[in-house]
Structures are given as C-alpha cells and as structure tokens.
C-alpha cells in the first residue's frame, strides 16, 4: 500500500511539472493573451493608414457601387415641388460657401452633404445624397458630386445610369480630370416606377432637373452623357448635339474635332440627321437654352462604353471642352 501510494504521488508531481512547463511556453509564445486585448498594429496596418487616410474612398468604385444597385424594377417617387426646391437650394447654398445653410435646406428633403477624399489623386469631393440607402432605394432621386479644388465652373449630367450602361464612367472620368466640376447623377433607372416618371431627361418634376436648372442659373455650361445601341446608328460611335440651342455650338465643334482625334466616328447634329439621338426633347437642354448657357448632348454607342480604353479616349475628348470651361473660356 505504501509503495502504491508513493508511485501515485510521483506521477502527480510529474504531471504538475509538465503543466508548469507548458504554461510557461504558452506565455512565451503569446497564446495566453486575453481575447479582448487589442491586436498590436503591424507594419502593414500603418502603411494602409498612411496610404488611405480616414474618410477616403476610391471615388470611381464608390459611385459605381451606387449605380450598380439601379435596376428597372427599382422604386421611384416623383418628388414634391418643395422637396425639389429644398435640394436645389441646398446645392446653391453649398456652392455659395454656406455649408450650414446648405445642410439645413437639404435636411428638409432627407438629404445630407459629406466630404470624400478620392484615393486616386487625393482630390476632395462633396457628395450631396439621400441620407440613407433605404431612402435612395425608395425614392431614387440621385446624387450630386462637387469637386472642391476650386469654384464650380461646369457640370456633367448623367440622367440614365444603368439604362445607358456605364455612362457614369464618363462622368467620373470628367469629374476626376477637370477641376471645378459638378456631376448630377440620376438615382433611378429610366423605366423605374412605371411609365416615364423616372426619365429625368424628359421630365421637369425631378430633383435632377431642379439641380441642373440651379447650376444653369449660375451660368455653368453642361455636357449631358448618354448611350445608344450600336445598331441604332451603325456608322457612328458618338453623336454630338446642342439640343435646341446654339450657345454651345463652338464647344460642340471643338468636341467633334477632339473625338475624331481619338479615332471615333462622330455624327454632328447641326450638319446632318443623326436618327433619334439628337436631344431635341431634352428638358435640361431647353432650360439651358432659355438661360443662354452652353449645353452639349453627347451620345456614345455601346462599343465605346464597354471598352475602358475607348471610354478614356472619349473622356480625353470631352476634357478638351471642360478644361476651357474651367478656365472661364467658351
């Protein structure tokens, strides 16, 4: 009995020694760190923070994520006159440099403004948008982006995202490339909601039209980008029009030359018939004509819009116009 009892004691002692050594090794290996203790910052984490400051986004991806959610089955509600006016007044106040007044006006329509930093170049851009994603999905009124590198000098309008596939890429390219730009971006497919109520290029009762009008009142010239099916005009890549106006004719001619320099085939509406792609019924164009402000209606075929290289070429050509506008020249 004594020997058996002694053997049990030795075994327990040995096991205790093994457990002690294991615990010590665990501490040395870091395995005993409590689960809720903050993870030490690694060099990779410091590098990421330095490269992408807080609040920064890839602006192209950010806007494309928004337009990717736009579908023909989506909802759209025609805004009341007071809601249209509140957003337009908010944009006016923001461009006047009065952000508090802008925020108050926008809030009455459920909108807000925030500043984004684009990781591509570090440019600062203000986003004026519905305060919640749910609101965007239910109302579909769209967004406004304001380049903050200087005073607003020109605008690019994207009335048919998703319907005119990838036209937002043209707008993004222009906004990134030329200072002083404002991009007005529709928030619903042109077929959303039933009938033509979401077709903001042909309806006066939209936030899109209200903001575009406010910018025209400030004498900001505009380019409105569209897309058409290749078979609609098979011998041309791009259709350039000034709508029903003539204030933008010199800019339109300049754009035509720049597009041809990119090896794109252009149909000039003031020279020939270009099918049903001439922008003669565009409400933003009509308002710009009444205000005496240049307006360009530019259609791009599918081949151009689906090719990143051709999109870049179209943006370079359009930039020949927007750069002059940014410099205060026609």
């Amino acid at each position: 009995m004594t020997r058996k009892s002694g053997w049990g004691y030795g075994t327990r002692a040995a096991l205790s020694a093994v457990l002690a050594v294991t615990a010590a090794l665990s501490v040395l290996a870091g395995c005993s760190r409590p689960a809720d203790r903050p993870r030490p910052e690694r060099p990779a984490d410091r590098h990421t923070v330095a490269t992408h400051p807080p609040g920064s986004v890839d602006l192209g991806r950010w806007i494309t994520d928004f337009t990717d959610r736009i579908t023909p089955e989506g909802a759209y509600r025609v805004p009341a006159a007071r809601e249209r006016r509140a957003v337009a007044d908010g944009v006016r106040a923001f461009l006047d440099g009065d952000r508090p007044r802008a925020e108050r006006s926008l809030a009455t329509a459920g909108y807000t403004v925030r500043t984004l930093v684009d990781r591509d170049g570090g440019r600062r851009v203000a986003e004026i948008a519905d305060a919640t994603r749910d609101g965007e999905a239910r109302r579909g009124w769209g967004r406004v982006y304001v380049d903050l590198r200087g005073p607003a000098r020109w605008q690019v309008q994207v009335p048919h995202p998703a319907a005119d596939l990838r036209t937002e890429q043209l707008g993004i390219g222009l906004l990134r490339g030329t200072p002083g730009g404002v991009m007005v971006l529709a928030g619903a497919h042109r077929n959303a909601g039933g009938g033509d109520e979401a077709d903001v290029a042909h309806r006066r009762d939209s936030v899109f039209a209200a903001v575009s009008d406010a910018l025209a009142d400030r004498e900001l010239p505009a380019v409105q980008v569209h897309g058409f099916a290749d078979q609609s005009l098979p011998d041309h890549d791009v259709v350039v029009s000034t709508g029903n106006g003539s204030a933008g004719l010199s800019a339109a001619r300049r754009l035509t030359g720049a597009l041809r320099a990119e090896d794109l085939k252009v149909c000039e509406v003031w020279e020939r018939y270009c099918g049903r792609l001439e922008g003669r019924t565009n409400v933003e164009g009509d308002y710009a004509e009444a205000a005496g402000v240049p307006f360009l209606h530019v259609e791009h075929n599918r081949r151009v819009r689906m090719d990143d290289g051709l999109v870049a070429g179209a943006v370079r050509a359009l930039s020949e116009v927007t750069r002059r506008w940014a410099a205060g020249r026609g």
Side-chain angles (χ1 to χ4, degrees):
M1 292 294 295
T2 303
R3 186 170 58 251
K4 184 175 181 180
S5 176
W7 179 86
Y9 176 82
T11 301
R12 287 195 300 272
L15 286 173
S16 297
V18 169
L19 290 173
V21 171
T22 301
L25 290 174
S26 296
V27 170
L28 290 173
C31 296
S32 65
R33 185 174 63 244
D36 59 351
R37 182 178 297 175
R39 179 177 59 84
E41 185 183 63
R42 297 175 300 178
D45 298 328
R46 291 193 297 272
H47 175 74
T48 300
V49 171
T51 303
H52 305 313
S56 71
V57 299
D58 178 335
L59 188 65
R61 184 70 261 165
W62 180 267
I63 295 173
T64 302
D65 284 345
F66 169 63
T67 57
D68 282 349
R69 298 195 297 271
I70 295 174
T71 68
E73 297 77 29
Y76 180 77
R77 176 171 74 77
V78 176
R82 60 177 174 76
E83 293 168 322
R84 302 194 300 268
R85 185 168 55 252
V87 179
D89 287 348
V91 172
R92 289 188 187 96
F94 186 82
L95 296 182
D96 286 339
D98 191 342
R99 184 161 180 160
R101 181 162 63 90
E103 290 176 338
R104 287 194 299 272
S105 182
L106 292 168
T108 65
Y111 263 57
T112 189
V113 58
R114 62 175 163 179
T115 301
L116 304 174
V117 179
D118 188 4
R119 290 173 189 165
D120 182 357
R123 66 188 60 77
R124 295 169 64 250
V125 177
E127 179 187 72
I128 297 172
D130 209 304
T132 66
R133 180 175 291 193
D134 181 59
E136 286 184 331
R138 288 185 294 104
R139 304 194 298 184
W141 294 347
R143 297 176 173 182
V144 180
Y145 290 89
V146 182
D147 177 74
L148 298 177
R149 286 174 286 183
R153 300 289 190 188
W154 59 274
Q155 56 171 314
V156 56
Q157 303 168 3
V158 187
H160 297 146
D164 291 357
L165 195 60
R166 299 192 83 230
T167 46
E168 75 280 351
Q169 300 305 318
L170 297 161
I172 293 166
L174 283 175
L175 189 67
R176 277 175 157 171
T178 306
V182 180
M183 182 166 76
V184 189
L185 177 63
H189 193 283
R190 67 186 301 173
N191 297 326
D196 68 344
E197 62 186 18
D199 185 357
V200 298
H202 301 101
R203 295 278 299 236
R204 297 289 314 148
D205 55 352
S206 70
V207 167
F208 186 97
V211 172
S212 299
D213 293 354
L215 298 177
D217 289 341
R218 299 176 73 92
E219 300 184 346
L220 267 62
V223 54
Q224 190 176 102
V225 291
H226 290 263
F228 67 93
D230 293 353
Q231 62 269 27
S232 296
L233 203 66
D235 295 330
H236 295 89
D237 299 309
V238 184
V239 178
V240 179
S241 169
T242 58
N244 287 321
S246 58
L249 189 55
S250 62
R253 287 178 169 147
R254 189 174 299 110
L255 173 59
T256 296
L259 288 165
R260 287 181 174 146
E262 296 288 343
D263 294 324
L264 295 172
K265 294 175 286 186
V266 186
C267 188
E268 304 146 292
V269 168
W270 59 94
E271 295 286 351
R272 62 183 62 81
Y273 178 64
C274 299
R276 300 177 62 186
L277 302 168
E278 300 187 336
R280 302 292 193 190
T281 60
N282 189 281
V283 299
E284 289 80 28
D286 288 346
Y287 192 93
E289 166 63 8
V293 176
F295 175 86
L296 301 182
H297 182 280
V298 189
E299 296 264 4
H300 303 77
N301 69 4
R302 183 180 177 86
R303 184 182 76 91
V304 170
R305 288 177 285 118
M306 299 308 293
D307 185 308
D308 287 344
L310 294 178
V311 167
V315 169
R316 283 194 297 270
L318 289 162
S319 297
E320 292 291 320
V321 173
T322 55
R323 279 198 296 268
R324 289 179 65 89
W325 288 344
R329 303 195 302 271

